[in-house]
Amino acid sequence: MKVQLIANLSANGELILAAQSDAYQAPQEVAGMGFAKALECGNIIMGRTTYQMFAPMMKDVLKNLEVVVISSEDMDADVYTAKNAEDAVSYLEKKGFEKACVDGGTMTYNLFLESGLADELFFNLFPVVINGGGSMETAQGKVLEYRLAEAKSHGDIAMLHYIKK
């Protein structure tokens, strides 16, 4: 299974999180890339906090996806609750999916990076400097290498696609 990680980043490398929307509003056509990728894959993997934030306002989109929430506590009956990244991928593989779409938040991104499961990275790089967005990290001493597959722009926003080496 190919695992695609989709994230919005600031110019200083911080993740731009939905919780920061009061401070910065990313253009919808670019910020919504995660949900567009999820629709392509037919599924979406999110952490509990991200799911709880988006579920009420994104019901129409989420009902068309196989939703996996990574959490230590059981979630809604209409989503699969995975305990870790490997469990999420295994569940989607058993359901017949060829790609998995990881779309937030910080802890979920890091679980996939630490486990080495992120095959592709899709980043929107926004021309803002922020604080408090968190960062993507691997396990201590672990290095993951990717190569640039595509770079394009949308106004001042760089849209980057990396593939694992």
Side-chain angles (χ1 to χ4, degrees):
M1 169 172 286
K2 188 175 285 190
V3 176
Q4 300 177 330
L5 189 147
I6 296 92
N8 293 323
L9 301 175
S10 66
N12 60 321
E14 294 268 341
L15 285 162
I16 297 176
L17 305 173
Q20 295 167 307
S21 62
D22 289 343
Y24 176 69
Q25 282 287 335
Q28 189 56 42
E29 65 273 13
V30 178
M33 182 178 73
F35 286 108
K37 284 282 178 202
L39 289 170
E40 285 177 24
C41 293
N43 62 70
I44 190 167
I45 301 170
M46 296 183 263
R48 178 177 39 93
T49 303
T50 303
Y51 172 73
Q52 289 172 332
M53 183 175 296
F54 282 111
M57 63 183 137
M58 299 297 290
K59 284 183 182 177
D60 290 341
V61 173
L62 295 177
K63 74 178 179 185
N64 296 314
L65 299 171
E66 185 71 33
V67 179
V68 178
V69 178
I70 297 185
S71 176
S72 58
E73 47 190 73
D74 287 336
M75 300 301 297
D76 301 339
D78 56 339
V79 304
Y80 178 76
T81 304
K83 301 301 179 203
N84 54 46
E86 294 85 356
D87 181 22
V89 169
S90 176
Y91 170 77
L92 291 173
E93 282 178 325
K94 288 177 187 168
K95 297 286 274 184
F97 291 100
E98 295 178 11
K99 294 179 184 177
C101 180
V102 180
D103 201 10
T106 305
M107 289 174 28
T108 300
Y109 292 141
N110 291 341
L111 285 174
F112 279 87
L113 292 169
E114 288 168 6
S115 65
L117 288 173
D119 299 304
E120 294 183 79
L121 307 173
F122 291 88
F123 295 144
N124 290 322
L125 183 59
F126 292 89
V128 297
V129 175
I130 61 167
N131 187 6
S135 62
M136 285 190 258
E137 302 171 352
T138 64
Q140 183 74 26
K142 185 175 192 169
V143 175
L144 299 175
E145 292 188 56
Y146 294 84
R147 66 175 179 78
L148 183 64
E150 182 180 19
K152 55 187 179 181
S153 65
H154 181 83
D156 292 332
I157 300 161
M159 301 169 80
L160 307 170
H161 174 202
Y162 291 94
I163 298 174
K164 189 189 279 184
K165 284 188 176 180

